[in-house]
Amino acid sequence: MGEYFGDVLKRALSRREVLKSAIFGSAGLALVACGGGGGSLAEVTQSPLSFKTIYPNTEDKITVPEGYKHNVVIRWGDALDSGPNLNWDSIYQNGPTDQDIERQKNCFGYNCDFLGFFKTPNGKILLAINHEYANPELMFSNFLDAQGNPNSGRPTANESRFMLEAHGVSIVEVRRRPDGSWEYVKGSSYNRRITGSTEIDISGPARGHSLMKTSQEPTGTKVLGTLNNCAGGKTPWGTMLTCEENFNSYFYGDINQVQDPTVKAIHQKYGVPSGYSKYYGFHNIDSRFNINQEPNEAFRFGWVVEIDPMDPSKKPVKRTALGRFKHEGATCVVAPNGRVVVYMGDDERFQYVYKFITKGTYNPNNRDANWGLLDEGELYVAKFNDNLTGQWMLIARCEKNPDGTYQITPNPALPQEFQNDPALCFINTRGAADALGATKMDRPEDVEWNPMSKSVWVALTYNERRGQSGQPPADASNPRSPNYMGHILEIMEDNQNPASTTFRWQIPVLCGDPNSPIIDNRLIIYGQFANSQVPAISAPDNFVIDKLGNVWIATDGNPSSSRLNKNDGVYVLNPFTKELKMFLSGVKGCEICGPEFSDDWKTFFCNIQHPGETDTNNPSSRWPYDGTANIPRPSTVAVWREDGREIFA
């Protein structure tokens, strides 16, 4: 078990002192804060945010600032091929047919999350978009009973099969219209779906391991599907990294009937099986989702998957060297020595921040030479010290042998189980991080490199369990107990080198409402309480960084009564002027996902995930319609300036 900072801090610091030091910093760090974390101010034009802020609201529409417009680019069920769109209204009323299931394999999936903008060598524009999970209560009529559980006989076999195909990833070609809006190109040769049944290769140190083998696939080298694809990333060579997060949600069974003690212990650490499995019913259509029939299938999920959006013929690959946990994102940056660093968060309360450094170097002149670069290297986990310094602690190093096997060298400080079976460093990454005493964080989600401040930004969404009975107390890097609002942490790598193994850190934003009567729920920006005119923000989830170094923040949790009781949205933090403004507000019940820019910086994209989500059969929104439709549809949205200038001009 990792050492809690509360135990460390009792030696010298009170909670008040921890909070003060973390957000104000030492004198030296305060100077860094003025520059947004280590970047040279001479390199940055400190332009204030030009748009007029909006404020959190509860309206059932998308709100953007004056001078901006938006449109829906693509919706759940829109056909990617030349065939018909999903008949989603009939599916809702009557349930999916076999034909509907086949159509979903070729139509835009559900609950879009990560969004990546790519341009092909011939100038085509592609969006790579995750589909995290399904909402059966929104897809199918009368699905839930009064207690919020599936009604008897639900989901049906066809409903489960349909939801499996609604998961995964969509690659879709898009184009800009003359008026600045965007549309997708139906029938493009680039368009394709990767779903919960698509065959995917397994590479890296866990490939072929005994825990990766099942009776259905005894080699441990391939798997059907990718599931719960949350955030992701883009590689320097132009591929997509899609991240499997809450994969445990799909696995059913009795953990006490699992005979192998290693299998049982790892499953328990990752929450396998899950009570959510009853909403999907995948175990009723495929025995691989029943841990008592296929105890190893769950080990084949929880990975980062690399997909080449440019080449529909190339099979996706699960890159196991990046570790197995509930991946939120995978942000790549090229270090000065050419090695590629991948930053990652494990999105669960009291989990960790990771990074991976490749053994090889990025080849900008040979795209194909980089395919496989993520299979060899060093996996690290972060420890945040109470004096605002930190270390990246090595979990293990993996190198490929000439015969295709892997030489794995674990950290010698790890327990004997990892020394005896080094591949466990990558399969049970959480267990290795626990053993090394990594810092337990407040739901680390997106982790992004800011090229202007040359620092790493970490979204810590919230953790209402911190400080509760039997749970870790507040610490320097997670100073609120409980943490209802979430916060943003900035890592300044030593020498501004992402391949460094030591760093400094600070907390630029403690989220909240500047007008909250509760001190711990107030908004604090760089150590100062925000004035009443600054928009309230809670639950930071995903980031995108613009070319000026501004941090665009998408939220997931504002609607909660313990937070803002408002719709989720997109906010912009200027780390140089310390301004915070709100740029977009979503619709009722939704989460904002996948913030991204076009390559000319004139369009901002994001995804509207689970609009109308409730715990009943009656959705709170029917967006993108006017309220007359039966159900809402998750969609991708584009925003642009009416004057055609760059989005942040």
Side-chain angles (χ1 to χ4, degrees):
M1 178 177 293
E3 181 184 22
Y4 298 132
F5 264 125
D7 300 329
V8 176
L9 299 177
K10 286 177 182 177
R11 298 195 305 263
L13 299 173
S14 70
R15 179 172 176 269
R16 183 180 297 274
E17 289 167 335
V18 170
L19 178 59
K20 183 178 178 181
S21 66
I23 61 178
F24 284 85
S26 65
L29 285 176
L31 292 174
V32 173
C34 295
S40 169
L41 293 183
E43 299 172 358
V44 181
T45 301
Q46 297 181 57
S47 302
L49 300 174
S50 62
F51 64 88
K52 183 179 180 180
T53 190
I54 63 171
Y55 288 91
N57 62 62
T58 58
E59 297 184 51
D60 194 19
K61 66 177 184 178
I62 291 175
T63 307
V64 293
E66 296 174 5
Y68 291 81
K69 289 186 176 181
H70 74 276
N71 80 296
V72 174
V73 181
I74 189 168
R75 303 169 174 86
W76 164 55
D78 286 346
L80 300 185
D81 60 9
S82 298
N85 295 340
L86 274 179
N87 189 343
W88 48 269
D89 195 55
S90 174
I91 291 169
Y92 176 76
Q93 298 284 9
N94 308 309
T97 65
D98 289 347
Q99 183 179 6
D100 293 325
I101 295 166
E102 289 303 309
R103 286 307 305 144
Q104 179 61 93
K105 295 178 182 179
N106 293 287
C107 293
F108 194 67
Y110 203 78
N111 274 345
C112 31
D113 200 296
F114 171 80
L115 184 156
F117 183 100
F118 295 88
K119 183 172 280 188
T120 67
N122 62 353
K124 301 292 186 181
I125 295 172
L126 310 179
L127 300 183
I129 298 171
N130 284 349
H131 302 294
E132 185 177 1
Y133 67 101
N135 284 93
E137 77 280 7
L138 299 179
M139 286 178 156
F140 315 122
S141 65
N142 196 35
F143 186 84
L144 298 176
D145 63 20
Q147 288 72 45
N149 295 308
N151 274 308
S152 178
R154 312 292 292 279
T156 66
N158 266 11
E159 287 172 341
S160 293
R161 292 170 58 208
F162 182 81
M163 287 190 284
L164 187 67
E165 303 303 336
H167 282 70
V169 174
S170 290
I171 309 297
V172 56
E173 183 184 346
V174 296
R175 60 192 172 203
R176 183 160 30 200
R177 301 184 182 114
D179 65 356
S181 64
W182 290 75
E183 64 184 355
Y184 85 100
V185 181
K186 184 174 180 178
S188 166
S189 60
Y190 289 101
N191 293 353
R192 62 170 163 152
R193 287 293 321 284
I194 295 95
T195 77
S197 64
T198 302
E199 186 173 290
I200 297 175
D201 284 339
I202 298 170
S203 71
R207 175 180 169 89
H209 188 273
S210 60
L211 292 179
M212 303 292 283
K213 298 177 180 179
T214 69
S215 64
Q216 294 184 18
E217 201 288 293
T219 70
T221 61
K222 57 187 177 180
V223 60
L224 292 180
T226 180
L227 295 171
N228 214 267
N229 301 77
C230 193
K234 299 185 294 184
T235 66
W237 49 95
T239 60
M240 172 198 196
L241 300 179
T242 179
C243 298
E244 298 177 330
E245 192 189 41
N246 295 305
F247 64 91
N248 60 312
S249 300
Y250 309 102
F251 290 91
Y252 170 88
D254 182 353
I255 190 64
N256 293 315
Q257 291 184 20
V258 175
Q259 300 300 310
D260 187 311
T262 298
V263 172
K264 181 177 180 180
I266 300 175
H267 280 346
Q268 289 175 314
K269 185 170 290 294
Y270 286 79
V272 176
S274 168
Y276 286 106
S277 61
K278 64 186 176 185
Y279 295 97
Y280 301 107
F282 292 170
H283 57 283
N284 293 323
I285 60 170
D286 193 334
S287 62
R288 68 191 176 109
F289 293 104
N290 186 328
I291 66 167
N292 302 127
Q293 295 179 270
E294 286 286 4
N296 286 355
E297 182 69 20
F299 293 120
R300 294 144 65 82
F301 294 86
W303 304 103
V304 174
V305 187
E306 185 172 7
I307 298 171
D308 189 349
M310 315 289 183
D311 186 356
S313 68
K314 188 175 289 186
K315 189 185 294 186
V317 180
K318 298 196 178 188
R319 303 290 186 190
T320 65
L322 298 179
R324 177 175 172 268
F325 42 90
K326 295 182 180 178
H327 286 272
E328 171 72 20
T331 297
C332 296
V333 59
V334 180
N337 63 2
R339 297 169 75 187
V340 177
V341 179
V342 186
Y343 291 100
M344 302 169 285
D346 185 349
D347 181 12
E348 194 162 297
R349 296 162 184 85
F350 306 115
Q351 288 302 324
Y352 307 115
V353 177
Y354 298 88
K355 79 174 178 183
F356 177 81
I357 305 176
T358 61
K359 175 187 175 184
T361 58
Y362 166 55
N363 186 339
N365 301 314
N366 185 346
R367 183 173 187 266
D368 291 340
N370 301 297
W371 187 256
L373 189 59
L374 300 179
D375 286 339
E376 299 180 84
E378 300 161 348
L379 182 62
Y380 294 85
V381 65
K383 183 177 180 66
F384 297 86
N385 300 322
D386 53 311
N387 64 355
L388 307 187
T389 65
Q391 301 86 40
W392 293 103
M393 299 183 293
L394 178 68
I395 293 176
R397 178 180 297 107
C398 62
E399 300 174 275
K400 197 170 187 178
N401 297 317
D403 63 358
T405 61
Y406 282 82
Q407 176 66 39
I408 304 171
T409 307
N411 186 324
L414 286 171
Q416 197 61 42
E417 63 183 292
F418 294 98
Q419 309 299 332
N420 294 340
D421 189 353
L424 289 180
C425 296
F426 301 95
I427 297 172
N428 182 17
T429 309
R430 282 183 170 181
D434 283 346
L436 291 173
T439 305
K440 296 177 178 293
M441 307 299 287
D442 287 349
R443 284 191 63 192
E445 297 212 41
D446 203 3
V447 186
E448 291 284 339
W449 173 262
N450 188 328
M452 299 308 294
S453 64
K454 295 182 173 59
S455 60
V456 184
W457 292 71
V458 183
L460 298 159
T461 300
Y462 56 79
N463 187 353
E464 72 286 1
R465 298 177 192 169
R466 187 169 289 278
Q468 302 305 300
S469 178
Q471 301 291 350
D475 59 44
S477 53
N478 304 276
R480 283 176 167 171
S481 176
N483 183 4
Y484 287 110
M485 296 294 183
H487 60 290
I488 296 171
L489 187 145
E490 184 182 12
I491 295 171
M492 289 75 75
E493 300 274 27
D494 281 0
N495 300 314
Q496 300 181 348
N497 183 355
S500 175
T501 57
T502 53
F503 57 86
R504 295 166 296 147
W505 63 270
Q506 64 177 350
I507 299 177
V509 180
L510 285 166
C511 296
D513 184 343
N515 302 304
S516 175
I518 302 170
I519 293 294
D520 269 358
N521 288 348
R522 293 256 185 97
L523 174 59
I524 299 176
I525 302 175
Y526 286 102
Q528 302 294 323
F529 285 106
N531 69 56
S532 61
Q533 300 306 305
V534 178
I537 178 175
S538 71
D541 188 338
N542 290 120
F543 299 138
V544 66
I545 314 294
D546 68 31
K547 74 174 185 179
L548 300 180
N550 297 313
V551 182
W552 295 59
I553 308 158
T555 69
D556 173 19
N558 282 352
S560 170
S561 59
S562 63
R563 283 178 279 280
L564 302 185
N565 243 336
K566 305 290 185 181
N567 295 342
D568 275 312
V570 176
Y571 299 74
V572 186
L573 173 70
N574 184 326
F576 310 103
T577 65
K578 301 183 177 63
E579 295 174 276
L580 179 72
K581 293 185 177 182
M582 189 175 185
F583 179 77
L584 180 148
S585 177
V587 302
K588 289 184 177 181
C590 86
E591 165 191 351
I592 309 297
C593 301
E596 174 69 300
F597 296 105
S598 59
D599 62 341
D600 61 5
W601 304 99
K602 292 184 177 181
T603 304
F604 172 81
F605 295 98
C606 66
N607 289 320
I608 306 298
Q609 188 183 99
H610 57 71
E613 184 176 64
T614 64
D615 56 0
T616 72
N617 290 314
N618 184 33
S620 60
S621 171
R622 287 171 173 78
W623 182 89
Y625 303 103
D626 59 5
T628 58
N630 282 313
I631 53 175
R633 294 169 71 186
S635 304
T636 296
V637 169
V639 185
W640 66 97
R641 288 178 61 107
E642 292 182 32
D643 61 13
R645 299 168 65 197
E646 292 178 340
I647 197 79
F648 40 75

